[in-house]
Amino acid sequence: MGLTDAYRTGLGVAKDQAKANDYARIGCTQGVGDKLRLCTLHGIALAQTQDKASLNRGEGILDGACTAGDGMACDYIGRIGANGLPGATTTIGESNYYLRHGCDLQFGPACGYLAASYEGNGDAAVAVALYDKGCRLGDQEGCDGAKRVIALNGEFPPAKLIRGVEHMT
């Protein structure tokens, strides 16, 4: 992603989120070739503004990037719905769909955020399975979540975990 990543992380240049966002926008709207992650980053930047029109435009871009297979986009738009951002068009009901899709696309943080939803609804077995998947995908918060739920609820027999995961599909 070149300049977007360089400015986002400060790699070889001074860290500058505004420039990173601008390069993501240019790459998404004017670039050629594989620009999916650039569109995700552009959608995230738009969604983080305080302007309702920009937020909604960002949601549209994130929805498209999620549909095209970017798990990060699914995670972010799922979080928008789950948090009920003022002015957002993504609903709480849609959030689990997006988070599940992000998890299915192997984006660990989406698994963890979805797990928190199940945990909040009292379904600890499914929460542990999703936290564990996020952990296996490299998400430290998923590892911590699985340990926390097990500490609170005790060990879950594998058969119970499998039944819990089956009822989600």
Side-chain angles (χ1 to χ4, degrees):
M1 285 180 285
L3 291 172
T4 300
D5 273 344
Y7 281 106
R8 189 168 49 88
T9 62
L11 183 64
V13 296
K15 191 174 181 177
D16 187 332
Q17 191 60 47
K19 282 186 179 179
N21 292 346
D22 196 43
Y23 282 115
R25 178 190 55 77
I26 291 167
C28 177
T29 60
Q30 299 171 18
V32 295
D34 185 12
K35 54 187 181 176
L36 184 58
R37 182 52 55 95
L38 290 171
C39 288
T40 295
L41 295 174
H42 179 49
I44 289 170
L46 287 171
Q48 290 175 339
T49 67
Q50 300 299 317
D51 173 43
K52 181 183 181 319
S54 294
L55 166 62
N56 297 154
R57 222 169 47 250
E59 287 176 286
I61 291 170
L62 290 168
D63 176 62
C66 176
T67 300
D70 190 338
M72 178 190 281
C74 301
D75 176 61
Y76 202 87
I77 194 169
R79 289 173 189 241
I80 289 171
N83 292 318
L85 291 183
T89 59
T90 307
T91 66
I92 291 172
E94 294 169 323
S95 68
N96 281 358
Y97 164 78
Y98 285 115
L99 292 168
R100 174 60 190 257
H101 193 51
C103 185
D104 289 345
L105 290 169
Q106 309 302 310
F107 190 72
C111 301
Y113 216 80
L114 181 59
S117 174
Y118 278 95
E119 182 182 0
N121 289 327
D123 201 339
V126 174
V128 166
L130 288 166
Y131 280 132
D132 180 62
K133 180 175 180 179
C135 180
R136 286 183 279 116
L137 291 170
D139 181 44
Q140 184 59 48
E141 290 180 22
C143 302
D144 297 342
K147 289 175 189 172
R148 184 188 68 254
V149 173
I150 289 171
L152 290 171
N153 297 283
E155 290 288 333
F156 294 93
K160 186 172 183 182
L161 285 177
I162 292 168
R163 279 195 309 277
V165 172
E166 283 177 353
H167 96 284
M168 290 177 18
T169 57

